[in-house]
Amino acid sequence: MIKTVKTTPYTDQKMGTAGLRKKSKLVEQENYVENFVQSIFDAIGGVKGQTFILGGDGRYYNKIAIQKIMKMSAANGMKKMIVGQNGFISTPTSSKVLLKNHADGGFVLTASHNPGGKNGDFGIKYAVASGGQCPTSLSDKIFENSKKITEYKILEAPDVDLSNLGTQKLGDMEIEVIEPVQEYVEMMESIFDFPAIKKLFANGFTMAFDAMNAVTGPYALKIFEEILGAPKGSVWNYVPMEDFGGLHPDPNLIYAKKLVDFMYSDKAADFGGANDGDGDRNMILGKKFFVTPSDSLAILTDNYKYIPAYKNGIYGVAKSAATSTAVGRVAEALNIGYYEVPTGWKYFCNLMDSNRITFCGEESFGTGSSHIREKDGIWAILFWLNIIAATGKSVEEITMEHWKKYGRSYYMRNDYDGIDIEVANKLMADLEAKLPSLKGKTFGAYTVLEAKPFIYNDPVDGSSTKNGLIVYFTDKSRIVFRLSGTGTNGATLRVYLERYETEKFKEDPEKMLESLADVSREIAEIPERTGKVKADVLT
Ligand code: G1P
Ligand code: ZN
């Protein structure tokens, strides 16, 4: 039976950089998920006759939210819902399944790389028919709806069993339970040279992949160990858990510490990689060697010809403004299009849809291509393995050659966490106001060439977005300031530091960027305003 339930609005259902992301405890409030989902359905004029994809990274509340969304979809007249077995689907797989089925939309229940569990975070990413996350114009409309919602529709029915593959009915809606790993494996096989990578492992190559107790465990086990023949035990933490076993599933030098320590030990494997909660982020390591995501994007782009799916040529490449300029030098050398967009994967989608770009990436451990409309963690790792298999070179050799050819952008992100929201907003507003006056000023060894907000004019839909403030120095160094749009604990100020070197390649990035970090604190008056003399997290 379809029930119409009266509800009262929440005022905080505004999507951030990637969907709605909140503390689990907030999401557990009465009608919280229901209000948000109905606000989406209403914003798109209903879902009658439509097909959606649904699944999540398995974190706490995944199971409950999935049942709610299926029952609401049935009550709202949806024709079909394609759901990952047991409610699991990685973000890249969801995007692929959405595109393959020409579906109208999709939900991935995840707070990405944020911790999970009752005291962690939960989230809902909403994708549109193009396979990418919903554009800002639509999320604004959804937010408006959520602030005035009075009722939602839900089917009264027992919970759906999602353990068996195949189709079943929920009211008048068809539910198809799919096996997501197989979907994903097929896509990877169609892109990369699996036989070459298999040969690499057969010749004794070793790897360590940390799935961080999150969604990509089963994918990694299947691809790396079963199909490609990496030694047993190469894939770590491969059983997805509701609280990620207490891990913070963010693949970076801080949170993937166990892997990093291993890769910097004398027992290190030849290659190290990790993914985040929902499988769209990646970290790349060689023996005692770390590749920044900015460099990784540049290196992958420069080596596209080794990959079967790209060898006949690529369109351009794009990066978020905060990401280092390394890939820009590659784009220039390859003579392909090059775009700088605001932070957030959704800004790449129009460029992919219009064949302006093939590859794109962000400094926040996100790399991907137009095979889907999300970033893709395992894809990035396979890309590296494919280059290694084709060239016979190590991660370090490939990266060193790259720096010799193009120079090196020393790059780091400094995060100042848990700042009072008003303090953070005022810091940014005051900084923006003083940008014009910085031009020509000298801070230690750095002289400001130009300082301005980053404004992106989308060449496809004509929309304009302001995101972050950039200070350019005369020696090609840059500082980007912006506030996080995914945090759930006060405000996080992100400061991105970049310094370009054409000769010194083997220095410690933290040391190389120390004085620029001081300059960033001075320019934005960070200690005075936040009481913080140092960043909380350096990545
Ligand atoms: C962060 C990253 C951004 C990424 C997003 C979703 O957003 O910085 O690059 O697209 O997570 O994974 P932020 O918190 O900075 O708004
Ligand atoms: Zn993610």
Side-chain angles (χ1 to χ4, degrees):
M1 196 186 75
I2 295 174
K3 242 183 20 175
T4 301
V5 181
K6 293 267 170 260
T7 185
T8 46
Y10 289 94
T11 54
D12 65 345
Q13 299 195 321
K14 189 174 166 57
M15 290 191 226
T17 313
L20 186 71
R21 204 169 289 184
K22 297 284 169 197
K23 293 263 164 249
S24 303
K25 286 201 169 123
L26 290 180
V27 180
E28 284 183 289
Q29 296 172 96
E30 196 184 5
N31 296 336
Y32 196 89
V33 167
E34 290 87 338
N35 279 14
F36 182 65
V37 170
Q38 189 68 54
S39 299
I40 293 177
F41 289 169
D42 294 347
I44 56 177
V47 291
K48 223 176 178 50
Q50 297 197 349
T51 299
F52 265 60
I53 316 299
L54 175 65
D57 62 8
R59 67 179 63 221
Y60 174 77
Y61 210 60
N62 195 37
K63 284 187 197 140
I64 295 171
I66 273 195
Q67 295 292 339
K68 291 183 183 205
I69 295 173
M70 285 188 295
K71 291 174 191 173
M72 286 185 67
S73 302
N76 278 273
M78 194 177 285
K79 181 166 160 246
K80 182 173 178 182
M81 197 141 222
I82 302 174
V83 191
Q85 191 173 22
N86 296 316
F88 284 89
I89 202 161
S90 72
T91 288
T93 308
S94 173
S95 185
K96 189 241 166 170
V97 175
L98 199 161
L99 291 171
K100 183 176 128 185
N101 289 281
H102 306 288
D104 302 284
F107 294 111
V108 182
L109 308 182
T110 178
S112 186
H113 52 286
N114 292 14
K118 205 169 171 52
N119 296 312
D121 292 349
F122 188 77
I124 303 180
K125 289 209 263 193
Y126 163 54
V128 292
S130 65
Q133 288 169 50
C134 100
T136 315
S137 51
L138 181 53
S139 60
D140 287 347
K141 203 165 156 195
I142 295 165
F143 182 44
E144 288 314 311
N145 283 353
S146 75
K147 286 187 290 188
K148 49 182 200 239
I149 187 166
T150 55
E151 57 182 44
Y152 64 84
K153 285 204 184 88
I154 191 157
L155 192 76
E156 267 197 325
D159 280 358
V160 180
D161 179 1
L162 296 173
S163 58
N164 296 318
L165 301 180
T167 55
Q168 52 186 306
K169 282 268 175 179
L170 175 63
D172 290 335
M173 183 175 82
E174 180 184 335
I175 290 186
E176 183 186 355
V177 178
I178 57 156
E179 207 285 274
V181 175
Q182 194 47 35
E183 294 277 348
Y184 186 79
V185 169
E186 281 166 19
M187 175 166 64
M188 292 301 107
E189 280 174 330
S190 74
I191 297 174
F192 297 108
D193 189 349
F194 269 45
I197 305 174
K198 219 169 153 172
K199 210 155 139 203
L200 181 72
F201 284 117
N203 289 337
F205 188 83
T206 55
M207 86 180 279
F209 174 86
D210 193 346
M212 305 189 89
N213 302 317
V215 77
T216 52
Y219 296 78
L221 211 52
K222 176 97 192 169
I223 294 175
F224 300 129
E225 291 192 16
E226 275 179 43
I227 301 178
L228 296 172
K232 257 206 159 13
S234 299
V235 177
W236 302 4
N237 297 318
Y238 53 77
V239 180
M241 294 184 199
E242 285 208 330
D243 65 348
F244 307 119
L247 288 184
H248 187 149
D250 195 358
N252 62 33
L253 296 175
I254 316 261
Y255 297 120
K257 188 165 184 319
K258 209 175 128 207
L259 178 72
V260 175
D261 286 349
F262 173 70
M263 289 303 295
Y264 276 80
S265 77
D266 292 333
K267 291 192 213 118
D270 295 313
F271 183 87
N275 276 183
D276 73 333
D278 60 329
D280 54 1
R281 292 187 174 205
N282 76 90
M283 175 169 67
I284 305 293
L285 296 157
K287 266 195 169 118
K288 301 190 181 181
F289 198 84
F290 164 66
V291 186
T292 67
S294 297
D295 279 339
S296 179
L297 174 64
I299 291 166
L300 299 188
T301 304
D302 205 27
N303 288 287
Y304 74 88
K305 61 178 180 297
Y306 294 118
I307 312 300
Y310 309 118
K311 68 170 193 290
N312 293 330
I314 51 172
Y315 298 115
V317 63
K319 69 167 192 77
S320 66
T323 304
S324 98
T325 51
V327 73
R329 295 187 283 275
V330 175
E332 200 184 334
L334 297 178
N335 196 19
I336 55 173
Y338 172 55
Y339 301 83
E340 260 198 330
V341 306
T343 293
W345 208 260
K346 58 188 172 221
Y347 296 102
F348 294 128
C349 293
N350 279 344
L351 300 175
M352 293 194 254
D353 290 344
S354 59
N355 288 344
R356 282 174 165 80
I357 61 166
T358 300
F359 299 141
C360 48
E362 296 186 286
E363 54 67 42
S364 53
F365 297 79
T367 334
S369 92
S370 52
H371 64 293
I372 50 171
R373 295 294 178 271
E374 291 277 4
K375 53 194 174 235
D376 191 340
I378 289 183
W379 172 90
I381 286 167
L382 285 169
F383 203 138
W384 269 93
L385 291 174
N386 199 150
I387 298 173
I388 294 167
T391 60
K393 290 176 187 153
S394 70
V395 173
E396 179 168 356
E397 284 165 345
I398 292 166
T399 310
M400 283 304 291
E401 275 182 19
H402 179 84
W403 290 335
K404 283 188 186 136
K405 191 163 157 197
Y406 292 103
R408 174 175 182 185
S409 282
Y410 283 92
Y411 180 88
M412 275 188 110
R413 183 173 101 184
N414 289 1
D415 287 343
Y416 298 83
D417 288 334
I419 305 174
D420 179 82
I421 292 177
E422 270 171 37
V423 169
N425 285 335
K426 178 125 174 45
L427 182 154
M428 289 298 285
D430 291 350
L431 177 58
E432 183 170 352
K434 87 176 194 199
L435 290 180
S437 71
L438 293 177
K439 195 173 171 165
K441 278 207 177 126
T442 294
F443 298 87
Y446 298 94
T447 302
V448 177
L449 176 71
E450 203 185 0
K452 55 183 185 187
F454 174 72
I455 295 170
Y456 178 61
N457 297 311
D458 189 311
V460 179
D461 65 18
S463 63
S464 184
T465 308
K466 186 165 92 177
N467 189 285
L469 308 171
I470 312 188
V471 182
Y472 301 89
F473 297 92
T474 49
D475 68 345
K476 293 194 176 154
S477 298
R478 307 187 318 156
I479 305 176
V480 181
F481 299 89
R482 58 179 287 280
L483 295 182
S484 158
T486 58
T488 56
N489 182 23
T492 295
L493 172 66
R494 303 206 196 281
V495 181
Y496 309 83
L497 308 168
E498 176 176 356
R499 171 173 166 187
Y500 182 57
E501 285 290 334
T502 50
E503 273 153 25
K504 286 188 269 180
F505 301 137
K506 290 197 160 176
E507 310 299 319
D508 171 16
E510 210 175 321
K511 281 221 179 75
M512 290 297 277
L513 294 164
E514 207 170 12
S515 55
L516 201 58
D518 288 338
V519 173
S520 74
R521 284 186 280 266
E522 185 182 340
I523 291 183
E525 302 165 13
I526 296 171
E528 295 86 330
R529 289 166 182 264
T530 68
K532 291 175 188 280
V533 292
K534 264 179 41 201
D536 298 290
V537 183
L538 305 180
T539 48

